[in-house]
Amino acid sequence: MEIVKDTNIDFMGLKKYAYIFSGILSIIGIIAVISIMFGRGNLGIDFGGGTAVQLKFDKPIKIDAARDALQKHGINDAELQEFPLDNKLLIRLKKVSTSNEPVADTIISLFRQEFTANTFVVDSSIEIGPTVGKRLQKDAFTAVILSMIGIIIYIAFRFELKFGIAAAIATFHDVLAVLGVFFILNKEINLLIITALLTLAGYSLTDTVVVFDRIRDYLKIRRKDQIDVIINNGINHTLSRTLITSLTTALVLVALVIFGGEVIHDFSLALLLGVCVGTYSSIFVASPLLLLWKGGSGMMKKAA
């Protein structure tokens, strides 16, 4: 199956515009990273600290009634999430205990007081302090950096170092772009979103490797051609496969974003944005970066 056939698009001729667009996305992403490191932005309780309590009721409970009960006792900024099939309610509050009574105990006490006819048990209760949140931020940042180093080593082993660096820059660009969009949309940044970012990094890398594989083949058999011609041919000959893979993946993610419910909405949205940006970067970011090393050693030099 092919969506497009025999294309001959001059992708390298568009690299200047791609660099400008990607530069803007990257700057927004860097601003988001710096803001998160300084505790700004819409941080989830994983990173900013807070309390999460999950209650399992005997009967269904309306989320509006639960919110009214919390507001009645002065708790106005709680995030509620219901699980109707199990009669469960998750209360998340970006607030840690400042008195002798933990915030979780206060929430449990007021629910027992307000819903005497609908008893419940406490499924889980977690309180994360600011220190733990900072530690989780540091660990998440370390995980992203280590994944980039792993990508460079893997691609350098499979191709050569310049391919690895180009793939790592493109993948890092994708992570920054999605993080920047989430920052602008004021979406909550939590561990689930970090998981989505690492997942999309793997997807983006796979997409880039397919294009690089074809470019490497052409570098071996078309030694007299110009580098930009070889790269253009490599991208054009994998374009149909790239579009089919991306579109089928995107269709699933669109369905999850629309019908998946509140629990996985932001996770699915991050992956959907990642697929779109990853497809763009494998064509307009990773491959043009190879031109920056066209005078270096290895296959690129042999083809020059």
Side-chain angles (χ1 to χ4, degrees):
M1 178 180 177
E2 290 187 50
I3 294 181
V4 292
K5 291 184 179 179
D6 302 326
T7 57
N8 188 27
I9 303 171
D10 182 16
F11 292 104
M12 293 303 99
L14 301 171
K15 63 179 182 297
K16 181 174 67 176
Y17 305 103
Y19 286 156
I20 294 173
F21 180 63
S22 294
I24 294 172
L25 288 178
S26 299
I27 289 172
I28 295 173
I30 291 171
I31 292 173
V33 171
I34 294 173
S35 300
I36 291 170
M37 290 177 66
F38 283 93
R40 297 172 183 168
N42 186 7
L43 301 182
I45 65 171
D46 307 328
F47 297 143
T51 302
V53 181
Q54 184 165 292
L55 308 176
K56 178 176 173 55
F57 290 85
D58 289 338
K59 305 173 188 175
I61 181 170
K62 293 183 178 179
I63 196 168
D64 290 339
R67 184 173 286 109
D68 290 342
L70 288 167
Q71 291 177 348
K72 180 180 176 182
H73 291 265
I75 301 176
N76 299 313
D77 51 352
E79 297 176 8
L80 302 180
Q81 187 175 325
E82 60 179 339
F83 304 92
L85 293 178
D86 298 320
N87 295 337
K88 291 183 179 180
L89 180 69
L90 175 63
I91 304 107
R92 294 159 63 93
L93 193 61
K94 295 177 183 177
K95 182 179 179 183
V96 294
S97 176
T98 55
S99 62
N100 292 330
E101 186 179 22
V103 175
D105 290 351
T106 302
I107 294 173
I108 293 168
S109 176
L110 75 86
F111 267 88
R112 286 203 171 109
Q113 179 183 336
E114 295 294 329
F115 298 95
T116 54
N118 190 3
T119 57
F120 63 84
V121 295
V122 180
D123 245 15
S124 63
S125 174
I126 302 172
E127 188 160 312
I128 300 175
T131 304
V132 176
K134 289 287 183 184
R135 175 62 184 272
L136 289 172
Q137 279 186 46
K138 183 180 177 182
D139 289 348
F141 182 74
T142 302
V144 173
I145 295 299
L146 288 178
S147 68
M148 295 301 112
I149 294 174
I151 287 170
I152 293 176
I153 294 174
Y154 168 69
I155 302 295
F157 177 76
R158 181 168 175 177
F159 298 96
E160 56 182 271
L161 183 60
K162 64 191 67 174
F163 283 84
I165 293 176
I169 292 174
T171 304
F172 201 57
H173 157 276
D174 300 344
V175 172
L176 286 176
V178 175
L179 190 62
V181 171
F182 262 58
F183 182 73
I184 290 175
L185 296 177
N186 199 31
K187 292 285 186 182
E188 185 176 284
I189 309 297
N190 51 38
L191 284 177
L192 197 59
I193 298 304
I194 298 300
T195 305
L197 294 179
L198 292 175
T199 304
L200 75 88
Y203 176 88
S204 173
L205 175 64
T206 304
D207 208 27
T208 301
V209 165
V210 171
V211 179
F212 278 3
D213 243 342
R214 187 57 59 90
I215 293 173
R216 182 181 62 171
D217 291 341
Y218 287 164
L219 284 170
K220 293 177 181 175
I221 61 178
R222 299 183 180 180
R223 293 173 178 269
K224 294 183 179 179
D225 288 349
Q226 294 293 320
I227 293 293
D228 54 348
V229 174
I230 292 175
I231 294 175
N232 268 332
N233 287 336
I235 298 173
N236 277 293
H237 290 180
T238 55
L239 187 60
S240 182
R241 180 265 180 205
T242 300
L243 292 178
I244 290 173
T245 304
S246 299
L247 285 175
T248 50
T249 308
L251 284 175
V252 175
L253 293 172
V254 167
L256 287 176
V257 169
I258 297 174
F259 304 110
E262 188 178 350
V263 178
I264 61 170
H265 178 272
D266 286 355
F267 177 78
S268 306
L269 180 61
L271 289 179
L272 178 61
L273 291 172
V275 168
C276 297
V277 177
T279 303
Y280 156 80
S281 73
S282 65
I283 297 173
F284 291 102
V285 179
S287 300
L289 284 174
L290 295 175
L291 289 175
L292 300 180
W293 280 288
K294 63 182 179 181
S297 60
M299 289 184 294
M300 299 289 289
K301 184 177 180 180
K302 291 175 184 175

